[in-house]
C-alpha cells in the first residue's frame, strides 16, 4: 500500500504488530532494546520477529545505553538505524534519529547550534524526532517546525491521529511520521482500530 509519507512504528513487541505494520506499508519497525525504557524486548525477540517480515527497516530504540553496546546490538539484530533519547558520547555505526525537545527544534539559533555540535557524532546521518502535543501546537510553532524540516530530516511523533495527520503533512512537510504500536490482547489477537485509521488517512488515492 502506497502512503503519503514515510512511516515508522515504534514499540514493536509482537508478531501481530510486525506483520500488520509491514503489510500496511510502514517503512520501518522500531524495537525498544534498552532495558531502561518501558516495554523493552531482547535481541532474540527482534531477530525472531524480523524473520517474519520483509522490505522494512529494522530500528532499535535506546536511551542512555553506552555506544559500544548500541553498536553491538546493531550488529547482532541487523539494525539499519537507531532512535535515541540522548545524544551519544561517541559516533554510531548507523544513521540515527534523535529525540529533541520542541523548544530546541523551533528556535533558529538553538537549532543551528545543535546541528553544529551534533554533526561530528553522527557521521552516518542524523534525523530529528519531535514529539507533538496537538493541544499546544499554535500556528507559529507549526511554521517553525516547517522551517526546521527544510534543514534536516524531521520526523513527527506523539499525538498523531487520523483527524490531524493530513494537516500536519500539509503544514510541516516532515520527512515522515513515527506511530505507536501496541500490545496484543492475547497471543495473535490485537486491536488495530486506531492505527488502521491513521494508515487509511495516509493512503494515497
Amino acid at each position: 500500500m502506497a502512503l503519503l509519507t514515510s512511516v515508522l512504528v515504534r514499540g514493536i513487541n509482537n508478531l501481530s504488530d510486525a506483520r500488520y505494520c509491514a503489510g500496511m506499508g510502514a517503512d520501518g519497525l522500531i524495537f525498544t532494546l534498552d532495558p531502561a525504557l518501558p516495554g523493552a524486548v531482547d535481541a532474540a525477540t527482534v531477530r525472531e520477529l524480523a524473520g517474519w517480515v520483509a522490505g522494512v527497516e529494522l530500528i532499535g530504540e535506546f536511551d542512555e545505553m553506552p555506544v559500544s553496546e548500541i553498536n553491538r546490538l546493531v550488529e547482532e539484530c541487523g539494525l539499519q538505524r537507531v532512535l535515541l533519547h540522548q545524544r551519544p558520547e561517541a559516533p554510531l555505526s548507523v544513521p540515527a534519529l534523535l529525540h529533541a525537545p520542541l523548544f530546541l527544534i523551533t528556535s533558529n539559533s538553538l537549532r543551528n547550534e545543535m546541528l553544529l555540535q551534533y554533526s561530528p557524532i553522527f557521521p552516518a546521518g542524523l534525523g530529528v524526532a519531535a514529539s507533538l502535543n496537538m493541544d499546544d501546537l499554535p500556528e507559529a510553532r507549526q511554521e517553525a517546525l516547517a522551517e526546521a524540516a527544510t534543514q534536516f530530516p524531521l520526523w513527527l511523533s506523539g499525538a498523531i491521529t487520523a483527524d490531524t495527520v493530513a494537516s500536519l503533512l500539509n503544514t510541516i512537510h516532515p520527512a515522515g511520521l513515527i506511530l505507536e504500536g501496541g500490545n496484543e490482547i492475547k497471543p495473535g489477537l490485537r486491536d488495530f482500530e486506531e492505527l488502521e485509521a491513521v494508515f487509511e488517512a495516509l493512503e494515497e488515492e
Side-chain angles (χ1 to χ4, degrees):
M1 183 172 72
L3 303 178
L4 294 171
T5 191
S6 295
V7 171
L8 310 177
V9 184
R10 65 184 295 268
I12 300 294
N13 61 14
N14 60 79
L15 183 57
S16 296
D17 262 23
R19 297 184 71 175
Y20 176 82
C21 294
M24 292 297 285
D27 295 281
L29 306 178
I30 303 174
F31 302 90
T32 305
L33 279 161
D34 190 333
L37 293 172
V41 298
D42 56 23
T45 299
V46 175
R47 294 195 304 270
E48 179 183 358
L49 296 181
W52 288 92
V53 295
V56 291
E57 189 177 13
L58 305 179
I59 303 166
E61 183 173 2
F62 303 94
D63 190 7
E64 297 181 347
M65 184 176 283
V67 169
S68 59
E69 182 66 6
I70 294 176
N71 285 335
R72 184 190 67 78
L73 286 167
V74 165
E75 292 296 324
E76 183 177 350
C77 299
L79 305 178
Q80 287 89 45
R81 199 182 335 188
V82 293
L83 173 64
L84 304 177
H85 292 264
Q86 304 283 342
R87 185 180 69 175
E89 76 282 359
L92 294 154
S93 60
V94 293
L97 294 175
L98 179 66
H99 271 290
L102 285 180
F103 77 86
L104 187 63
I105 299 171
T106 55
S107 164
N108 280 328
S109 58
L110 293 177
R111 185 168 67 240
N112 291 333
E113 183 179 348
M114 175 186 71
L115 292 175
L116 185 64
Q117 292 181 355
Y118 287 9
S119 294
I121 307 175
F122 300 97
L126 171 66
V128 177
S131 182
L132 305 182
N133 177 356
M134 295 305 297
D135 294 329
D136 187 24
L137 200 63
E139 185 177 344
R141 178 166 287 177
Q142 294 185 50
E143 291 174 354
L145 286 168
E147 183 177 349
T150 67
Q151 291 185 264
F152 48 73
L154 178 65
W155 292 75
L156 304 180
S157 66
I160 298 172
T161 68
D163 293 330
T164 62
V165 67
S167 176
L168 290 173
L169 294 183
N170 292 332
T171 303
I172 300 173
H173 304 289
L177 306 175
I178 302 175
L179 306 181
E180 296 290 330
N183 297 316
E184 291 179 312
I185 299 170
K186 62 180 182 180
L189 182 60
R190 167 83 158 87
D191 181 3
F192 288 110
E193 184 175 353
E194 291 185 10
L195 198 56
E196 182 177 20
V198 178
F199 273 117
E200 289 181 350
L202 287 169
E203 189 174 359
E204 289 186 348
E205 297 182 1

